[in-house]
Amino acid sequence: MGDCAPLFSSDCSPSPPLSLPEPQKKRKMILYDDDEEVNQVSLPLHEEEEDEEEDEEEVGENVKPIGDIIRVSFIEGYRRDHYHGFQANGGSYELEDVVLVVPDEIGINMKPSVAMIKDICATQDGKITVTGQRFYRLEVAVNGNGEKWKSSESRELFYSFDKTEFSADLVMHKCRVHFIPPNKEIPRAKDQPGFIVRRVYDSKYKELTELVDTGYDDCKRHEINLLVEKTIAKIPLLAVTEDASQNRQ
């Protein structure tokens, strides 16, 4: 296997930034009304956060980096300091966390975007920007004919190698994502709540490939293998699929 850059390396050029609203102090948003998904995928809140949680949340306050600067970059002569983590809206986040992000359009039943944090940087004017690796929802990803992909699992997301950039104050909270290889059964939501990833979406060619497809280059395959290994480490008793069991016989 060739040398692979770190998963949060700046060598990967992010896709053009999303058209997201500018962060404002004490800006309020209405959370999407999908209690089932929130219960399934959200990580537990701290006790003090549960007491303060309401239908409306304030965003844009107390956004600040955590820890020391780990890297410095310059874009068009302007310095950007990179960090391992940040605090926003009462929560703490760091590289490789998967988070829900405020959707482009705010309103009831507008589902948040899902992204894995790959880079955290602060500009000279104090704004903190996050570069995330994007997950695609079933209702967003389409095939070459413009049709939505089908899935028997409502919790399924498609992994991708697309990068997207957004303001740190748009992060809502962390969420669970399980990377399930094709030889393993999907765990019941009751036992292992969270999103499920089994396939990778190519937004350029509008194609889906299996999570452990052999066609990826070394770095991408290494990246996916790590994510699958983390899932198996957390859920070591994942059942083997019936097809995989028959192949062993």
Side-chain angles (χ1 to χ4, degrees), residues 201-229:
Y201 180 61
D202 186 324
S203 60
K204 181 179 180 180
Y205 296 103
K206 297 181 175 12
E207 295 176 344
L208 282 180
T209 53
E210 293 294 332
L211 192 60
V212 292
D213 191 276
T214 57
Y216 305 123
D217 61 41
D218 287 348
C219 288
K220 290 179 178 179
R221 186 163 60 248
H222 177 66
E223 179 178 327
I224 290 175
N225 287 343
L226 286 178
L227 295 170
V228 171
E229 288 170 5

Side-chain angles (χ1 to χ4, degrees), residues 82-98:
H82 299 259
Y83 295 86
H84 186 75
F86 69 94
Q87 291 180 338
N89 310 314
S92 297
Y93 308 92
E94 59 185 38
L95 298 172
E96 305 305 315
D97 282 344
V98 181

Side-chain angles (χ1 to χ4, degrees), residues 21-198:
E22 286 292 326
Q24 299 175 7
K25 239 186 174 184
K26 295 188 177 180
R27 179 170 59 81
K28 291 190 175 183
M29 68 176 184
I30 301 175
L31 295 184
Y32 72 113
D33 188 16
D34 193 340
D35 291 339
E36 182 179 0
E37 178 172 282
V38 170
N39 291 335
Q40 286 185 352
V41 307
S42 301
L43 290 176
L45 296 173
H46 296 299
E47 188 173 324
E48 62 270 19
E49 291 174 340
E50 290 178 335
D51 294 337
E52 297 173 0
E53 188 179 27
E54 300 175 352
D55 291 336
E56 293 185 343
E57 292 187 355
E58 293 183 352
V59 297
E61 284 197 352
N62 303 320
V63 180
K64 58 183 180 181
I66 297 176
D68 298 328
I69 297 172
I70 60 175
R71 182 167 60 85
V72 174
S73 64
F74 292 86
I75 297 180
E76 297 181 352
Y78 292 96
R79 172 172 169 152
R80 297 172 67 140
D81 297 333
H82 299 259
Y83 295 86
H84 186 75
F86 69 94
Q87 291 180 338
N89 310 314
S92 297
Y93 308 92
E94 59 185 38
L95 298 172
E96 305 305 315
D97 282 344
V98 181
V99 295
L100 295 182
V101 184
V102 175
D104 295 346
E105 298 179 17
I106 298 173
I108 296 297
N109 295 327
M110 293 299 298
K111 291 186 177 181
S113 301
V114 185
M116 180 182 292
I117 298 175
K118 292 296 182 180
D119 189 37
I120 301 162
C121 71
T123 57
Q124 288 179 301
D125 59 4
K127 292 182 180 179
I128 298 180
T129 302
V130 177
T131 299
Q133 193 142 332
R134 183 175 180 181
F135 294 80
Y136 284 85
R137 291 180 178 271
L138 294 172
E139 58 268 27
V140 174
V142 296
N143 60 26
N145 297 322
E147 300 171 340
K148 296 177 182 178
W149 295 95
K150 306 294 184 182
S151 175
S152 59
E153 177 56 62
S154 62
R155 295 186 291 155
E156 185 169 11
L157 296 175
F158 301 141
Y159 191 62
S160 82
F161 297 104
D162 295 345
K163 297 293 196 305
T164 185
E165 201 171 87
F166 48 89
S167 176
D169 77 323
L170 295 177
V171 173
M172 297 169 64
H173 50 74
K174 299 177 188 178
C175 59
R176 303 177 178 92
V177 177
H178 308 301
F179 292 80
I180 309 296
N183 66 328
K184 297 290 186 178
E185 293 281 1
I186 295 175
R188 296 187 307 170
K190 181 180 179 180
D191 298 330
Q192 296 294 338
F195 289 117
I196 298 297
V197 171
R198 297 182 296 176

